[in-house]
């Protein structure tokens, strides 16, 4: 019984390309009492894996929070896996504004203490006593009321590339930080102001609205379905967008465009730009905004220091990271002294430029390749590696990639090889292949052919 991923992101991307079928990116959440989150998690993984559903999901005793990529042809079957549970019957699926088949490349379902890290003690207040849900048209109307205070309950790197006009955008890195800050900042307006809140898909506001009502705010409202649902409604109903810019999303797209306005700058040169990326230095992975020109010059790095590190041999890079807390920081940073044009906190509603169009995130999978096989043996003294061809074929002159967790990603052009013990120029399915490699390989390493 498979309860975990068996393919890498790159391998999954190749399979998606080969399938050539449309996928839908969507998100949903539901608060409910789940007695056995681990069994719930396992049941979901098995059901979704059969449907080729990918994504990132958190489950806890308090409910479920999911962002998914599902083949369009399987969407109804996917909904059935949800509605098998009473608390998810009729659940709203927030379908992404912009679609990309590579938004998620793995299926991850994790058990957590909470589906959103809010730092709140749920026993101290009624989490079901939430604010009034507002649809897009109603939300626009209440924003026009001078008695309204609108608050963005997302993090600094989210609000920087897009936000509602006139919103308070807290300079925070986590949702839990924003709650006491806003409570203190608005303590004198609990009785007479409309506290209107929004977030990406609505889940953060669901808990926050109950918290602020508990804190004594009399008029609490929240955007139903968040920015994702708002964008869908303004398009369907042809109404004005009070949101300006891009909506940050937590998948490989890193953002979906709501309006053509660019409200942020390249963090390195200051040019109008709202494309997030992650530093290519595996010891950094800083999340930052980078324009195409700086991307080419800096090779997707956030600083000259990181650029220099990426040019070091892999063994040296690993040595530099040893003992440091690196891990998965893709969405946990976004601030650095190296980022000269980073903005957070009080943000402008001014458009700096207009976007030319949407980029396909396929470029983020840097090398298109096909899996050939894996290392079967490494002859240390001769620096020769043995492979068995399990897929496709290999020819002398091919550009190849040997990849593994310790080896990293090493590319070379195959100049000479032995096939089943004799020198040859082509190797086919089932053949044993040996050739020299200028680096050490491991049994866990895989052999890919680079596609041009």
């Amino acid at each position: 019984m498979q309860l975990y991923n068996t393919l890498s992101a790159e391998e999954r991307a190749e399979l998606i390309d080969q399938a050539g079928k449309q996928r839908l990116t969507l998100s949903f959440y539901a608060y409910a009492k789940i007695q056995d989150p681990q069994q719930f998690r396992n049941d979901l993984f098995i059901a979704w894996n059969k449907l080729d559903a990918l994504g990132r999901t958190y489950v806890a005793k308090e409910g479920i929070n999911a962002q998914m990529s599902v083949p369009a042809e399987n969407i109804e079957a996917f909904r059935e896996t949800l509605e098998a549970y009473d608390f998810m019957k009729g659940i709203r699926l927030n379908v992404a504004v912009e679609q990309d088949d590579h938004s998620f490349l793995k299926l991850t379902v994790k058990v957590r203490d909470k589906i959103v890290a809010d730092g709140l003690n749920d026993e101290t207040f009624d989490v079901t006593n939430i604010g009034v849900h507002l649809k897009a048209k109603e939300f626009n109307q209440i924003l026009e009321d001078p008695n309204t205070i609108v608050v963005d309950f997302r993090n600094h790197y989210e609000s920087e590339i897009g936000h509602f006009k006139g919103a308070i955008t807290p300079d925070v890195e986590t949702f839990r930080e924003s709650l006491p800050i806003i409570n203190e900042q608005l303590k004198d307006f609990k009785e007479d102001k409309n506290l209107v809140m929004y977030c990406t898909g609505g889940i953060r506001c669901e808990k926050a609205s109950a918290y602020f009502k508990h804190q004594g705010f009399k008029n609490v409202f929240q955007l139903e379905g968040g920015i994702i649902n708002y964008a869908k409604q303004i398009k369907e109903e042809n109404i004005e967008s009070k949101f300006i810019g891009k909506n940050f999303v937590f998948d490989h797209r890193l953002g979906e465009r709501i309006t053509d306005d660019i409200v942020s700058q390249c963090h390195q040169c200051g040019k109008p730009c709202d494309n997030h990326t992650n530093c290519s230095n595996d010891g950094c992975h800083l999340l930052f905004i980078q324009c195409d020109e700086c991307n080419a010059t800096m090779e997707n790095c956030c600083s000259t220091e990181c650029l220099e590190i990426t040019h070091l041999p892999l063994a040296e890079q690993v040595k530099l990271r040893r003992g440091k807390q690196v891990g998965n920081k893709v969405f946990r940073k976004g601030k650095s002294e190296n980022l000269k044009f980073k903005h957070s906190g009080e943000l402008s509603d001014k458009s700096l430029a207009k976007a030319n169009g949407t980029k396909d995130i396929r470029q983020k999978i840097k090398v298109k390749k096909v899996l050939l096989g894996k290392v079967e043996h490494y002859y240390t003294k001769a620096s020769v590696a043995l492979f068995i061809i399990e897929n496709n074929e290999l020819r002398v002159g091919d550009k190849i990639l040997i990849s593994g967790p310790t080896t990293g990603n090493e590319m070379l052009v195959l100049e000479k090889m032995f096939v089943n013990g004799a020198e040859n120029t082509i190797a086919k399915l089932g053949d044993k292949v040996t050739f020299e490699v200028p680096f050490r390989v491991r049994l866990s390493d895989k052999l890919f052919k680079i596609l041009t």
Side-chain angles (χ1 to χ4, degrees):
M1 184 183 298
Q2 185 184 337
L3 294 172
Y4 55 88
N5 285 284
T6 58
L7 296 177
S8 69
E10 289 82 1
E11 290 169 326
R12 179 70 70 179
E14 293 298 339
L15 289 178
I16 290 173
D17 284 346
Q18 291 168 18
K21 296 180 179 179
Q22 181 191 7
R23 301 181 68 89
L24 295 177
T25 301
L26 54 90
S27 61
F28 62 91
Y29 69 89
Y31 280 99
K33 290 184 178 180
I34 299 175
Q35 298 299 323
D36 190 345
Q38 186 62 52
Q39 185 60 51
F40 179 57
R41 176 264 174 210
N42 292 347
D43 292 344
L44 288 178
F45 191 100
I46 292 169
W48 292 350
N49 196 48
K50 292 177 181 176
L51 298 175
D52 192 26
L54 307 173
R56 183 190 302 108
T57 297
Y58 300 131
V59 298
K61 289 186 176 181
E62 67 172 358
I64 181 172
N65 179 20
Q67 297 86 41
M68 304 292 296
S69 169
V70 182
E73 64 184 17
N74 292 342
I75 194 67
E76 289 307 316
F78 179 77
R79 182 182 284 278
E80 288 176 6
T81 67
L82 305 180
E83 296 194 344
Y85 301 91
D86 288 340
F87 73 90
M88 287 195 284
K89 289 189 182 298
I91 191 170
R92 181 186 62 244
L93 301 181
N94 283 334
V95 179
V97 177
E98 295 176 350
Q99 294 295 335
D100 193 295
D101 292 342
H102 299 94
S103 57
F104 287 102
L105 297 173
K106 288 187 177 183
L107 175 58
T108 304
V109 186
K110 293 184 177 181
V111 176
R112 290 278 183 88
D113 291 333
K114 287 193 170 189
I115 54 177
V116 176
D118 51 38
L120 297 174
N121 182 354
D122 295 352
E123 303 300 322
T124 61
F125 65 101
D126 183 0
V127 296
T128 66
N129 185 23
I130 60 176
V132 178
H133 282 154
L134 299 175
K135 297 188 181 301
K137 188 174 183 179
E138 298 167 326
F139 193 82
N140 279 3
Q141 289 172 346
I142 203 168
L143 293 188
E144 296 295 329
D145 187 340
N147 216 36
T148 291
I149 298 175
V150 59
V151 181
D152 190 325
F153 276 98
R154 301 173 302 152
N155 305 326
H156 64 84
Y157 50 83
E158 299 175 82
S159 56
E160 183 178 11
I161 61 170
H163 48 268
F164 278 97
K165 297 174 182 178
I168 295 174
T169 52
D171 186 9
V172 296
E173 295 195 18
T174 63
F175 171 52
R176 70 172 67 192
E177 291 177 64
S178 64
L179 296 174
I181 290 174
I182 294 301
N183 191 37
E184 174 63 25
Q185 189 172 341
L186 302 181
K187 63 182 179 181
D188 296 329
F189 304 104
K190 294 182 178 182
E191 297 284 341
D192 57 345
K193 295 289 186 181
N194 298 321
L195 175 57
V196 180
M197 55 186 68
Y198 69 90
C199 56
T200 307
I203 188 170
R204 284 177 267 192
C205 295
E206 202 77 8
K207 185 73 73 70
S209 65
Y211 169 77
F212 283 104
K213 289 184 73 173
H214 174 70
Q215 292 296 318
F217 287 85
K218 301 300 182 185
N219 306 304
V220 181
F221 303 85
Q222 61 191 94
L223 179 58
E224 183 180 30
I227 301 165
I228 297 173
N229 199 40
Y230 177 87
K232 177 185 176 183
Q233 289 178 10
I234 61 171
K235 185 176 181 180
E236 291 176 346
E237 300 174 27
N238 193 28
I239 58 179
E240 178 190 2
S241 175
K242 298 289 187 179
F243 186 95
I244 183 171
K246 269 173 107 172
N247 178 31
F248 186 96
V249 291
F250 291 83
D251 58 56
H252 287 287
R253 294 173 299 152
L254 293 179
E256 52 185 15
R257 188 159 297 288
I258 309 301
T259 71
D260 291 334
D261 303 283
I262 297 176
V263 297
S264 52
Q265 298 171 275
C266 170
H267 286 161
Q268 293 173 320
C269 72
K271 177 183 176 180
C273 178
D274 54 12
N275 295 323
H276 274 104
T277 188
N278 291 106
C279 180
S280 288
N281 175 14
D282 286 334
C284 177
H285 278 177
L286 180 72
L287 178 70
F288 69 108
I289 297 172
Q290 187 179 54
C291 68
D292 291 342
E293 289 80 1
C294 288
N295 182 282
T297 303
M298 299 296 294
E299 299 178 24
N300 215 107
C301 291
C302 70
S303 64
T304 54
E305 179 184 9
C306 282
L307 178 60
E308 290 169 0
I309 290 175
T310 61
H311 288 180
L312 293 174
L314 180 64
E316 288 295 314
Q317 294 185 46
V318 173
K319 186 177 179 181
L320 288 173
R321 297 198 298 269
R322 193 168 294 141
K324 293 183 178 179
Q325 197 75 19
V326 288
N328 178 18
K329 296 182 178 177
V330 175
F331 300 115
R332 299 180 187 173
K333 298 175 72 176
K335 291 185 179 180
S336 167
E337 292 180 359
N338 294 317
L339 306 181
K340 306 300 182 185
F341 294 91
K342 164 68 185 173
H343 300 291
S344 56
E346 190 173 338
L347 300 174
S348 171
D349 295 335
K350 181 181 178 182
S351 176
L352 302 178
K354 295 291 183 179
N356 294 322
T358 303
K359 291 186 178 181
D360 190 332
I361 63 164
R362 191 65 177 85
Q363 64 184 322
K364 290 184 176 292
I365 303 164
K366 298 179 182 178
V367 179
K368 296 192 73 171
K369 56 189 181 291
V370 60
L371 178 66
L372 297 179
K374 60 183 179 181
V375 174
E376 293 294 323
H377 191 71
Y378 177 65
Y379 301 94
T380 307
K381 291 185 178 180
S383 297
V384 168
L386 168 65
F387 301 86
I388 293 180
I389 303 301
E390 300 173 348
N391 179 51
N392 214 282
E393 63 182 28
L394 177 65
R395 295 174 180 269
V396 168
D398 283 343
K399 189 173 183 180
I400 60 175
L401 169 71
I402 299 175
S403 177
T406 303
T407 305
N409 295 313
E410 297 286 354
M411 292 188 194
L412 57 93
V413 175
L414 187 60
E415 297 178 349
K416 181 180 179 180
M417 68 175 172
F418 288 82
V419 181
N420 300 324
E423 186 173 349
N424 207 329
T425 59
I426 183 172
K428 298 184 178 180
L429 193 68
D431 287 343
K432 292 184 177 181
V433 178
T434 55
F435 53 85
E436 288 188 39
V437 288
F439 46 85
R440 181 179 177 83
V441 297
R442 284 85 179 167
L443 292 181
S444 59
D445 291 352
K446 294 179 180 180
L447 173 67
F448 297 89
K449 177 165 66 175
I450 304 302
L451 303 177
T452 57

